[in-house]
């Protein structure tokens, strides 16, 4: 089974990502850390219901890599935007056996946090990156528990793709979340949130 774990905004820089997220949500983001394996770093925001928001960008101080970065960040360009939704499971190996196109299992760490994630060798996820990377946490403490509440709550996540029905059908046996909607249309994600400053939309 899968559960929604967190959502991610990609940006050319953390400064740009922070400005976008804080302008939309009206709450401050917190410093995250570095992901050495993929040469990225992030900012974090605790959401209600055990979720969190991540702003991720290529770390300019990281060495060059001989392999593609996750989240298709090597090809990212333009203003910051919501690019990924990440699910979690207690059996990542089993998930990848059922859906091998999800990618290879890559062990990762940030500080004392440890996890494994399904990452395609190309860095490009199925369905034009609308398919979720899937994570299995090895740490006993989920990152969301370490973050103070921001008062922001995800109410709806729209996953848009020309073949949205196929994507929904692929995930339906493993994922049941009333906040998720699959919409046929132009590729993209849209998150609706309740915040201390009213309703907000990330896209």
């Amino acid at each position: 089974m899968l559960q929604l774990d967190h959502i991610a905004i990609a940006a050319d820089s953390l400064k740009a990502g922070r400005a976008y997220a804080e302008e939309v949500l009206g709450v401050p983001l917190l410093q995250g850390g570095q992901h050495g394996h993929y040469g990225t770093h992030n900012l974090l925001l605790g959401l209600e219901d055990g979720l969190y928001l991540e702003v991720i960008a290529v770390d300019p101080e990281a060495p060059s890599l001989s392999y593609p970065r996750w989240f298709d960040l090597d090809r990212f360009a333009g203003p910051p935007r919501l690019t990924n939704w990440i699910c979690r499971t207690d059996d990542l190996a089993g998930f990848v056996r059922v859906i091998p196109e999800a990618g290879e299992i890559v062990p990762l760490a940030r500080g004392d946090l440890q996890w494994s994630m399904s990452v395609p060798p190309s860095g490009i996820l199925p369905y034009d990156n609308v398919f979720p990377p899937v994570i299995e946490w090895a740490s006993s403490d989920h990152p969301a528990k370490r973050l103070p509440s921001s008062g922001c709550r995800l109410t709806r996540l729209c996953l848009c793709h020309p073949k949205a029905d196929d994507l929904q059908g692929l995930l339906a046996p493993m994922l049941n979340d009333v906040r998720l909607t699959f919409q046929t249309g132009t590729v993209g994600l849209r998150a609706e949130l309740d915040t201390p400053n009213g309703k907000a939309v990330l896209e």
Side-chain angles (χ1 to χ4, degrees), residues 1-9 35 42-55 70-71 82 84-92 108 110 113-118 131-147 152-154 157 159 171 174-180 189 191 193:
M1 295 299 292
L2 300 178
Q3 289 182 293
L4 181 60
D5 190 81
H6 64 283
I7 57 177
I9 292 170
H35 314 105
N42 66 359
L43 301 169
L44 301 170
L45 181 72
L47 305 177
E48 302 300 316
D49 303 318
L51 303 180
Y52 68 97
L53 168 70
E54 171 182 34
V55 172
W70 56 356
F71 296 108
L82 187 68
N84 295 94
W85 60 299
I86 297 87
C87 292
R88 68 176 179 267
T89 181
D90 293 329
D91 182 13
L92 184 57
L108 298 162
R110 178 176 66 80
L113 288 171
Q114 297 182 347
W115 68 96
S116 295
M117 182 176 278
S118 59
F131 188 90
V134 175
I135 194 168
E136 181 176 353
W137 291 102
S139 307
S140 59
D141 202 12
H142 188 269
K145 296 179 180 179
R146 303 184 177 191
L147 298 169
C152 297
R153 182 186 303 275
L154 178 71
L157 180 62
L159 313 165
L171 295 173
M174 296 169 280
L175 178 64
N176 181 21
D177 191 319
V178 296
R179 295 168 295 190
L180 302 178
L189 274 65
L193 302 98

Side-chain angles (χ1 to χ4, degrees), residues 185-198:
T186 303
V187 172
L189 274 65
R190 173 187 170 93
E192 300 175 5
L193 302 98
D194 288 336
T195 80
N197 306 295

Side-chain angles (χ1 to χ4, degrees), residues 61-139:
E61 298 183 1
S64 59
L65 302 178
S66 61
Y67 47 86
R69 290 181 172 87
W70 56 356
F71 296 108
D72 200 13
L73 284 172
D74 290 321
R75 301 193 305 166
F76 181 84
R81 59 186 179 273
L82 187 68
T83 53
N84 295 94
W85 60 299
I86 297 87
C87 292
R88 68 176 179 267
T89 181
D90 293 329
D91 182 13
L92 184 57
F95 173 77
V96 171
R97 280 196 299 271
V98 173
I99 307 180
E101 58 268 36
E104 301 172 347
I105 297 176
V106 181
L108 298 162
R110 178 176 66 80
D112 64 338
L113 288 171
Q114 297 182 347
W115 68 96
S116 295
M117 182 176 278
S118 59
V119 182
S122 66
I124 303 170
L125 290 150
Y127 292 89
D128 303 291
N129 290 312
V130 179
F131 188 90
V134 175
I135 194 168
E136 181 176 353
W137 291 102
S139 307

Side-chain angles (χ1 to χ4, degrees), residues 9-23 29 43 55-57 80-81:
I9 292 170
D12 282 330
S13 70
L14 289 189
K15 180 179 179 180
R18 179 192 293 274
Y20 168 64
E22 291 184 352
E23 178 181 4
L29 273 69
L43 301 169
V55 172
I56 190 166
R81 59 186 179 273

